[in-house]
Amino acid sequence: MSSDPASPPILQFQPFSSAVEPEFWAALAHHKLHTAQLDTAACDVAGSFGCGRRHTVRNGELATSAIPTAAAATTTVAVPARLRVTRLITTPGSELPTDGSIAVTGRLLNTNTVEEFKQLDKGAVLRAGGAAVLAAIQSGRATADPALLWGFVAVSFADLKRYRFWHWFGFPAVMADPADSVWAAPQSLGAALPGASAADLGALVRGCARFVRDSGHGAFVVECGSWAVRPLGAWAGEDGVLLGFVDPSSHAARPGWPLRNLLAWLRRTHPRVARVRVLCFRDGNVGGEAGSLKTGEFGSVVVGVNVSSDVDGLRVGGWERDDAGRAAPRVADLAAAMDPALLAGAALDLNLQLMRWRLAPRVD
């Protein structure tokens, strides 16, 4: 936050955290042994994120209780903003997720040794990711396909003898200096759109859900009054519109990480826009119709943002932090889930493969 009480508060964001499917590590091990071998060229990785969610849990109830206690107090728990990492992309083309989430693509650089992993210039990896985002904005490709705003990067080392995977995910954000600030704090839909009826708000939520489900796009434009939802390219900077995005955050005051690069898109494609109202769309499974939700149950919020005019240089941040809040890699240790005989067999297979790669790399 700004130290000057007269200055508007700096817009803060809820960072992503990675959620890697166990099957991903098995696929990476197979790719390393049978395809990449000693080649460290980066490969594409599939990921996705969805709307932020909050769960209501009962306090003081036993885990074994089969019947809820009517008088039990409840607590609302925020679900962290997750980016799911699901698979290596081995063939061109992609399919829209069936659960209404937003598909994004990452670049994974898998090293041959743990020493290479530690010595890798990770700053250069993140900057390359940010440069790719900026290139997609400047070329117009990100306007047509907003998922290009949210590509991620990862570096890893697969210890296949012990089935341990060192990894570090980064979510490149093109940052502004001075930072974007807040002119209207996040408000519920009803508070931010006082002229809208309950039916209007229901139409808004359903329209956003339908647009995201049908297009697979995580950014869009909403026309206030008609509540029509348009592609990102329809933005013209006029009054009476909201800039919307699928928000993985459930934090009351902090929009999710994807808004960073959406604002970078705005300041570079519409440099005259100084203020914008942003719809942080959070209402459950965006593939649904949201018809069962009541007005007071909508989770989406609207925040007013002062857009920085900074378009000079390339400042990129976004390496994931560990559970202690430090910018540091993590280790996925899957040895405990492996049968000891299978683990020993995998180590033997790796030793044989290493001998073949080094002595006769072209022999199949």
Side-chain angles (χ1 to χ4, degrees):
M1 295 294 219
S2 171
S3 58
D4 183 356
S7 299
I10 291 174
L11 179 62
Q12 296 185 325
F13 304 87
Q14 189 71 2
F16 267 131
S17 60
S18 60
V20 186
E21 301 290 339
E23 295 83 0
F24 174 82
W25 300 122
L28 178 59
H30 186 273
H31 174 75
K32 177 64 177 175
L33 276 173
H34 302 289
T35 303
Q37 301 178 5
L38 296 179
D39 185 2
T40 58
C43 58
D44 288 338
V45 177
S48 65
F49 66 89
C51 285
R53 295 174 296 154
R54 301 178 73 88
H55 288 315
T56 300
V57 297
R58 291 181 174 83
N59 300 331
E61 286 203 5
L62 298 175
T64 56
S65 175
I67 302 176
T69 302
T74 61
T75 300
T76 301
V77 179
V79 177
R82 302 286 193 192
L83 191 144
R84 294 178 58 236
V85 181
T86 54
R87 61 184 177 86
L88 295 174
I89 300 176
T90 55
T91 57
S94 60
E95 298 180 356
L96 293 180
T98 58
D99 60 356
S101 57
I102 304 305
V104 291
T105 301
R107 294 286 284 170
L108 170 68
L109 199 160
N110 188 53
T111 62
N112 284 322
T113 67
V114 69
E115 288 77 17
E116 290 178 14
F117 174 83
K118 293 178 178 179
Q119 295 171 7
L120 188 67
D121 186 347
K122 299 175 181 65
V125 173
L126 196 68
R127 285 193 297 274
V133 170
L134 190 56
I137 292 173
Q138 293 172 334
S139 69
R141 292 182 296 122
T143 303
D145 183 6
L148 296 175
L149 295 172
W150 306 311
F152 59 97
V153 298
V155 293
S156 65
F157 164 65
D159 182 349
L160 301 184
K161 290 184 178 180
R162 300 174 180 85
Y163 234 63
R164 303 177 77 221
F165 298 87
W166 297 70
H167 61 282
W168 201 356
F169 284 88
F171 309 102
V174 180
M175 304 171 74
D177 185 14
D180 301 309
S181 59
V182 177
W183 62 265
Q187 294 179 299
S188 67
L189 294 183
L193 305 170
S197 66
D200 290 335
L201 297 181
L204 168 61
V205 170
R206 288 192 295 272
C208 292
R210 189 180 305 112
F211 176 85
V212 173
R213 179 192 64 212
D214 294 344
S215 69
H217 289 181
F220 45 86
V221 177
V222 177
E223 299 174 0
C224 297
S226 69
W227 310 114
V229 183
R230 309 293 187 196
L232 193 57
W235 175 268
E238 70 273 18
D239 294 333
V241 295
L242 303 173
L243 180 63
F245 77 106
V246 172
D247 187 3
S249 171
S250 54
H251 193 284
R254 296 181 182 179
W257 202 251
L259 182 55
R260 276 192 178 275
N261 285 347
L262 184 56
L263 292 174
W265 170 86
L266 182 63
R267 72 173 55 91
R268 284 168 170 79
T269 57
H270 300 276
R272 294 185 179 181
V273 175
R275 301 209 315 175
V276 62
R277 287 199 300 172
V278 178
L279 169 62
C280 308
F281 184 63
R282 301 177 175 181
D283 282 300
N285 184 343
V286 294
E289 288 295 313
S292 63
L293 291 177
K294 299 178 182 178
T295 302
E297 296 174 343
F298 293 140
S300 300
V301 297
V302 176
V303 59
V305 179
N306 295 311
V307 183
S308 170
S309 61
D310 172 45
V311 293
D312 298 326
L314 178 63
R315 287 171 291 276
V316 183
W319 281 116
E320 183 178 13
R321 295 182 178 273
D322 63 14
D323 295 336
R326 301 169 300 186
R330 304 184 182 196
V331 180
D333 189 348
L334 304 187
M338 293 280 289
D339 182 280
L342 292 177
L343 193 61
L348 177 59
D349 186 30
L350 176 61
N351 287 333
L352 294 175
Q353 292 280 27
L354 286 171
M355 293 172 62
R356 181 175 69 83
W357 297 342
R358 293 187 171 113
L359 297 177
R362 297 189 179 182
V363 175
D364 293 327

Coordinates of all heavy atoms in Angstrom, one line a residue, residues 286-351:
V286 N -18.2 -22.1 -14.1 CA -18.6 -21.2 -15.1 C -19.3 -21.9 -16.2 O -19.9 -21.3 -17.1 CB -17.4 -20.3 -15.7 CG1 -16.9 -19.4 -14.7 CG2 -16.4 -21.3 -16.2
G287 N -19.3 -23.2 -16.2 CA -20.0 -24.0 -17.2 C -21.5 -24.1 -16.9 O -22.3 -24.5 -17.7
G288 N -21.9 -23.7 -15.6 CA -23.3 -23.8 -15.2 C -24.1 -22.6 -15.6 O -23.6 -21.6 -16.1
E289 N -25.4 -22.6 -15.3 CA -26.2 -21.5 -15.7 C -26.4 -20.5 -14.5 O -27.0 -19.5 -14.7 CB -27.6 -22.0 -16.1 CG -27.6 -22.6 -17.5 CD -27.2 -21.6 -18.6 OE1 -27.8 -20.5 -18.6 OE2 -26.4 -21.9 -19.4
A290 N -25.9 -20.9 -13.3 CA -26.0 -20.0 -12.1 C -27.5 -19.7 -11.8 O -27.8 -18.7 -11.1 CB -25.2 -18.7 -12.3
G291 N -28.4 -20.5 -12.3 CA -29.8 -20.2 -12.1 C -30.3 -20.4 -10.7 O -31.3 -19.8 -10.3
S292 N -29.6 -21.2 -9.9 CA -30.0 -21.5 -8.5 C -29.5 -20.5 -7.5 O -29.9 -20.6 -6.4 CB -29.6 -22.9 -8.2 OG -28.2 -23.0 -8.2
L293 N -28.6 -19.6 -8.0 CA -28.0 -18.7 -7.0 C -29.0 -17.5 -6.8 O -29.6 -17.0 -7.7 CB -26.7 -18.1 -7.6 CG -25.5 -19.1 -7.6 CD1 -24.3 -18.4 -8.2 CD2 -25.2 -19.6 -6.2
K294 N -29.1 -17.0 -5.6 CA -29.8 -15.8 -5.3 C -28.9 -14.6 -5.4 O -27.6 -14.8 -5.4 CB -30.4 -15.9 -3.8 CG -31.3 -17.1 -3.7 CD -31.8 -17.1 -2.2 CE -32.8 -18.3 -2.0 NZ -33.2 -18.4 -0.6
T295 N -29.4 -13.4 -5.5 CA -28.6 -12.2 -5.7 C -27.5 -12.1 -4.6 O -26.4 -11.8 -4.9 CB -29.5 -11.0 -5.7 OG1 -30.5 -11.1 -6.7 CG2 -28.7 -9.7 -5.9
G296 N -27.9 -12.3 -3.4 CA -26.9 -12.1 -2.3 C -25.8 -13.2 -2.3 O -24.9 -13.1 -1.5
E297 N -26.0 -14.3 -3.1 CA -25.0 -15.4 -3.1 C -24.0 -15.3 -4.2 O -23.1 -16.1 -4.3 CB -25.8 -16.7 -3.2 CG -26.7 -17.0 -2.0 CD -27.6 -18.2 -2.2 OE1 -27.7 -18.7 -3.4 OE2 -28.1 -18.8 -1.2
F298 N -24.1 -14.3 -5.1 CA -23.2 -14.1 -6.1 C -21.8 -13.8 -5.5 O -21.7 -12.9 -4.6 CB -23.6 -13.0 -7.1 CG -24.8 -13.3 -7.9 CD1 -25.7 -12.3 -8.1 CD2 -25.0 -14.6 -8.4 CE1 -26.9 -12.6 -8.9 CE2 -26.1 -14.8 -9.2 CZ -27.1 -13.9 -9.4
G299 N -20.8 -14.5 -6.0 CA -19.4 -14.3 -5.5 C -18.6 -13.2 -6.2 O -17.6 -12.8 -5.8
S300 N -19.1 -12.9 -7.4 CA -18.3 -11.9 -8.3 C -18.3 -10.5 -7.6 O -19.2 -10.2 -6.9 CB -19.0 -11.8 -9.7 OG -19.0 -13.1 -10.3
V301 N -17.2 -9.8 -7.9 CA -17.1 -8.4 -7.4 C -16.7 -7.5 -8.6 O -16.2 -8.0 -9.6 CB -16.1 -8.4 -6.3 CG1 -16.5 -9.2 -5.1 CG2 -14.7 -8.8 -6.7
V302 N -16.9 -6.2 -8.3 CA -16.4 -5.2 -9.3 C -15.5 -4.3 -8.6 O -15.7 -3.8 -7.5 CB -17.6 -4.4 -9.8 CG1 -17.2 -3.3 -10.7 CG2 -18.6 -5.3 -10.6
V303 N -14.3 -4.0 -9.2 CA -13.3 -3.1 -8.6 C -13.0 -2.0 -9.6 O -12.9 -2.3 -10.9 CB -12.0 -3.9 -8.3 CG1 -11.4 -4.6 -9.5 CG2 -11.0 -3.0 -7.6
G304 N -12.8 -0.8 -9.1 CA -12.4 0.3 -10.0 C -10.9 0.5 -10.0 O -10.3 0.6 -8.9
V305 N -10.3 0.5 -11.2 CA -8.8 0.6 -11.3 C -8.3 1.8 -12.0 O -8.9 2.1 -13.1 CB -8.3 -0.7 -12.0 CG1 -6.8 -0.7 -12.1 CG2 -8.7 -2.0 -11.3
N306 N -7.4 2.5 -11.4 CA -6.6 3.5 -12.1 C -5.5 2.8 -12.9 O -4.6 2.2 -12.3 CB -6.0 4.5 -11.1 CG -7.1 5.3 -10.4 OD1 -8.0 5.9 -11.0 ND2 -6.9 5.4 -9.1
V307 N -5.6 2.9 -14.2 CA -4.6 2.2 -15.1 C -3.4 3.0 -15.3 O -3.4 4.2 -15.8 CB -5.3 1.9 -16.4 CG1 -4.3 1.1 -17.3 CG2 -6.6 1.1 -16.2
S308 N -2.2 2.5 -14.9 CA -0.9 3.2 -15.1 C -0.7 3.3 -16.6 O -1.0 2.5 -17.4 CB 0.2 2.3 -14.4 OG 1.4 2.9 -14.8
S309 N 0.0 4.4 -16.9 CA 0.3 4.7 -18.3 C 1.7 4.1 -18.7 O 2.1 4.3 -19.8 CB 0.3 6.2 -18.5 OG 1.3 6.9 -17.7
D310 N 2.3 3.4 -17.8 CA 3.6 2.9 -18.0 C 3.6 1.8 -19.1 O 2.9 0.8 -19.0 CB 4.2 2.3 -16.7 CG 5.5 1.5 -17.0 OD1 6.4 2.1 -17.7 OD2 5.7 0.4 -16.5
V311 N 4.4 2.1 -20.2 CA 4.5 1.1 -21.3 C 6.0 0.9 -21.7 O 6.3 0.3 -22.7 CB 3.7 1.4 -22.5 CG1 2.2 1.4 -22.2 CG2 4.0 2.8 -23.0
D312 N 6.9 1.4 -20.8 CA 8.3 1.4 -21.1 C 8.9 0.1 -20.5 O 8.6 -0.2 -19.4 CB 9.0 2.6 -20.7 CG 8.4 3.9 -21.3 OD1 8.1 3.8 -22.5 OD2 8.4 4.9 -20.7
G313 N 9.8 -0.5 -21.3 CA 10.6 -1.6 -20.7 C 9.8 -2.8 -20.5 O 8.6 -2.9 -20.8
L314 N 10.4 -3.8 -19.8 CA 9.8 -5.1 -19.5 C 10.2 -5.5 -18.1 O 11.3 -6.0 -17.9 CB 10.2 -6.2 -20.5 CG 9.7 -7.6 -20.3 CD1 8.1 -7.5 -20.4 CD2 10.3 -8.6 -21.3
R315 N 9.3 -5.3 -17.2 CA 9.5 -5.7 -15.8 C 8.5 -6.9 -15.5 O 7.3 -6.7 -15.7 CB 9.2 -4.5 -14.8 CG 10.3 -3.5 -14.8 CD 9.9 -2.3 -14.0 NE 8.8 -1.5 -14.7 CZ 9.0 -0.6 -15.7 NH1 10.3 -0.4 -16.1 NH2 8.0 0.0 -16.2
V316 N 9.1 -8.0 -15.2 CA 8.3 -9.2 -15.0 C 8.5 -9.8 -13.6 O 9.6 -9.9 -13.1 CB 8.7 -10.3 -16.1 CG1 7.9 -11.5 -16.0 CG2 8.7 -9.7 -17.5
G317 N 7.4 -10.2 -13.0 CA 7.5 -11.0 -11.8 C 6.6 -12.2 -11.9 O 5.8 -12.3 -12.8
G318 N 6.6 -13.1 -10.8 CA 5.7 -14.1 -10.8 C 6.2 -15.5 -10.4 O 5.4 -16.5 -10.6
W319 N 7.4 -15.7 -9.9 CA 7.8 -17.0 -9.5 C 7.0 -17.4 -8.3 O 6.7 -16.6 -7.3 CB 9.3 -17.0 -9.1 CG 10.2 -17.2 -10.2 CD1 11.2 -16.2 -10.6 CD2 10.3 -18.3 -11.2 NE1 11.8 -16.7 -11.8 CE2 11.3 -17.9 -12.1 CE3 9.7 -19.5 -11.3 CZ2 11.7 -18.8 -13.1 CZ3 10.0 -20.3 -12.3 CH2 11.0 -20.0 -13.2
E320 N 6.5 -18.6 -8.2 CA 5.7 -19.1 -7.2 C 6.5 -19.2 -5.8 O 7.7 -19.5 -5.8 CB 5.2 -20.5 -7.5 CG 4.2 -21.1 -6.5 CD 3.7 -22.5 -6.9 OE1 4.2 -23.1 -7.9 OE2 2.8 -23.0 -6.2
R321 N 5.8 -18.9 -4.8 CA 6.4 -19.0 -3.4 C 6.0 -20.3 -2.8 O 4.9 -20.9 -3.1 CB 6.0 -17.8 -2.6 CG 6.5 -16.5 -3.1 CD 6.1 -15.3 -2.3 NE 6.7 -14.1 -2.8 CZ 7.9 -13.6 -2.5 NH1 8.7 -14.3 -1.6 NH2 8.4 -12.5 -3.0
D322 N 6.8 -20.8 -1.9 CA 6.5 -22.0 -1.2 C 5.6 -21.8 0.0 O 5.1 -20.7 0.2 CB 7.8 -22.7 -0.7 CG 8.6 -21.9 0.3 OD1 8.1 -21.0 0.9 OD2 9.8 -22.3 0.5
D323 N 5.3 -22.8 0.8 CA 4.4 -22.8 1.9 C 4.8 -21.8 2.9 O 4.0 -21.3 3.7 CB 4.1 -24.1 2.5 CG 3.5 -25.1 1.5 OD1 2.8 -24.6 0.6 OD2 3.6 -26.3 1.7
A324 N 6.1 -21.5 3.0 CA 6.6 -20.5 4.0 C 6.7 -19.1 3.4 O 7.1 -18.2 4.1 CB 8.0 -21.0 4.5
G325 N 6.2 -18.9 2.2 CA 6.2 -17.6 1.6 C 7.5 -17.2 1.0 O 7.7 -16.0 0.6
R326 N 8.4 -18.1 0.8 CA 9.7 -17.8 0.2 C 9.6 -18.2 -1.3 O 9.0 -19.1 -1.7 CB 10.8 -18.7 0.8 CG 10.9 -18.4 2.3 CD 11.9 -19.5 2.9 NE 11.3 -20.8 2.7 CZ 11.8 -21.9 3.3 NH1 13.0 -21.8 4.0 NH2 11.3 -23.1 3.0
A327 N 10.3 -17.4 -2.1 CA 10.5 -17.7 -3.5 C 11.5 -18.8 -3.7 O 12.7 -18.6 -3.6 CB 10.9 -16.4 -4.3
A328 N 11.0 -20.0 -3.8 CA 11.9 -21.2 -3.7 C 11.3 -22.3 -4.4 O 10.0 -22.4 -4.5 CB 12.3 -21.5 -2.3
P329 N 12.0 -23.3 -5.0 CA 11.5 -24.4 -5.7 C 10.9 -25.4 -4.6 O 11.1 -25.3 -3.4 CB 12.7 -25.0 -6.4 CG 13.9 -24.6 -5.7 CD 13.5 -23.2 -5.1
R330 N 10.2 -26.4 -5.2 CA 9.6 -27.4 -4.4 C 10.0 -28.8 -4.9 O 10.6 -28.9 -6.0 CB 8.0 -27.4 -4.4 CG 7.5 -26.0 -4.0 CD 6.0 -26.0 -4.0 NE 5.4 -24.7 -3.6 CZ 4.2 -24.5 -3.3 NH1 3.3 -25.5 -3.2 NH2 3.8 -23.3 -3.0
V331 N 9.8 -29.8 -4.1 CA 10.1 -31.2 -4.4 C 8.9 -32.1 -4.2 O 8.3 -32.1 -3.2 CB 11.3 -31.7 -3.6 CG1 11.6 -33.2 -4.0 CG2 12.5 -30.9 -3.7
A332 N 8.5 -32.8 -5.3 CA 7.4 -33.8 -5.2 C 8.1 -35.1 -5.1 O 8.7 -35.6 -6.0 CB 6.6 -33.7 -6.5
D333 N 7.9 -35.7 -3.9 CA 8.5 -37.0 -3.6 C 7.5 -38.1 -3.7 O 6.6 -38.2 -2.8 CB 9.2 -37.0 -2.2 CG 10.0 -38.2 -1.9 OD1 9.9 -39.2 -2.7 OD2 10.7 -38.2 -0.9
L334 N 7.5 -38.9 -4.8 CA 6.5 -39.9 -5.0 C 7.0 -41.3 -4.7 O 6.3 -42.3 -5.0 CB 6.0 -39.8 -6.5 CG 5.5 -38.5 -7.0 CD1 4.9 -38.6 -8.4 CD2 4.4 -38.0 -6.0
A335 N 8.2 -41.4 -4.1 CA 8.8 -42.7 -3.9 C 7.9 -43.5 -2.9 O 7.8 -44.7 -3.0 CB 10.2 -42.5 -3.3
A336 N 7.3 -42.8 -1.9 CA 6.5 -43.5 -0.9 C 5.2 -44.2 -1.6 O 4.7 -45.2 -1.1 CB 6.0 -42.6 0.2
A337 N 4.8 -43.6 -2.7 CA 3.6 -44.2 -3.4 C 4.0 -45.3 -4.4 O 3.1 -45.9 -5.0 CB 2.9 -43.1 -4.1
M338 N 5.3 -45.6 -4.5 CA 5.8 -46.6 -5.5 C 6.0 -47.9 -4.8 O 6.5 -47.9 -3.7 CB 7.1 -46.1 -6.2 CG 6.9 -44.9 -7.1 SD 6.2 -45.3 -8.7 CE 7.7 -46.2 -9.4
D339 N 5.7 -49.0 -5.4 CA 6.1 -50.3 -5.0 C 7.6 -50.4 -5.0 O 8.3 -50.0 -6.0 CB 5.5 -51.4 -5.9 CG 5.8 -52.8 -5.4 OD1 7.0 -53.2 -5.7 OD2 5.0 -53.4 -4.7
P340 N 8.3 -50.9 -3.9 CA 9.8 -50.9 -3.9 C 10.4 -51.7 -5.0 O 11.4 -51.3 -5.6 CB 10.1 -51.6 -2.5 CG 8.9 -51.3 -1.7 CD 7.7 -51.3 -2.6
A341 N 9.7 -52.8 -5.5 CA 10.2 -53.5 -6.6 C 10.2 -52.7 -7.9 O 11.1 -52.7 -8.7 CB 9.4 -54.8 -6.7
L342 N 9.0 -52.0 -8.0 CA 8.9 -51.1 -9.2 C 9.9 -50.0 -9.2 O 10.5 -49.6 -10.2 CB 7.5 -50.6 -9.3 CG 6.4 -51.5 -9.6 CD1 5.0 -50.8 -9.6 CD2 6.6 -52.2 -10.9
L343 N 10.2 -49.4 -8.0 CA 11.2 -48.3 -7.9 C 12.6 -48.8 -8.2 O 13.3 -48.2 -9.0 CB 11.1 -47.8 -6.5 CG 11.8 -46.4 -6.3 CD1 11.2 -45.4 -7.1 CD2 11.8 -46.1 -4.8
A344 N 12.9 -50.0 -7.8 CA 14.2 -50.6 -8.1 C 14.3 -50.9 -9.6 O 15.4 -50.7 -10.2 CB 14.4 -51.9 -7.3
G345 N 13.2 -51.4 -10.2 CA 13.2 -51.6 -11.6 C 13.4 -50.4 -12.4 O 14.1 -50.3 -13.4
A346 N 12.7 -49.3 -12.0 CA 12.8 -48.0 -12.6 C 14.3 -47.5 -12.6 O 14.8 -46.9 -13.6 CB 11.9 -47.0 -12.0
A347 N 14.9 -47.7 -11.4 CA 16.3 -47.2 -11.3 C 17.2 -48.0 -12.2 O 18.1 -47.4 -12.9 CB 16.8 -47.3 -9.9
L348 N 17.0 -49.3 -12.3 CA 17.8 -50.1 -13.2 C 17.6 -49.7 -14.7 O 18.5 -49.6 -15.5 CB 17.4 -51.6 -13.0 CG 18.2 -52.6 -14.0 CD1 19.7 -52.5 -13.8 CD2 17.7 -54.0 -13.7
D349 N 16.3 -49.5 -15.0 CA 16.0 -49.1 -16.4 C 16.7 -47.7 -16.7 O 17.2 -47.5 -17.8 CB 14.5 -48.9 -16.5 CG 14.1 -48.6 -18.0 OD1 14.8 -49.1 -18.9 OD2 13.0 -48.0 -18.2
L350 N 16.7 -46.8 -15.8 CA 17.3 -45.5 -16.0 C 18.8 -45.7 -16.2 O 19.4 -45.1 -17.1 CB 17.1 -44.6 -14.8 CG 17.8 -43.2 -14.9 CD1 17.3 -42.4 -16.1 CD2 17.6 -42.5 -13.6
N351 N 19.5 -46.6 -15.4 CA 20.9 -46.8 -15.6 C 21.2 -47.3 -17.0 O 22.2 -46.9 -17.6 CB 21.5 -47.7 -14.5 CG 21.5 -47.1 -13.2 OD1 21.7 -45.9 -13.1 ND2 21.4 -47.9 -12.1

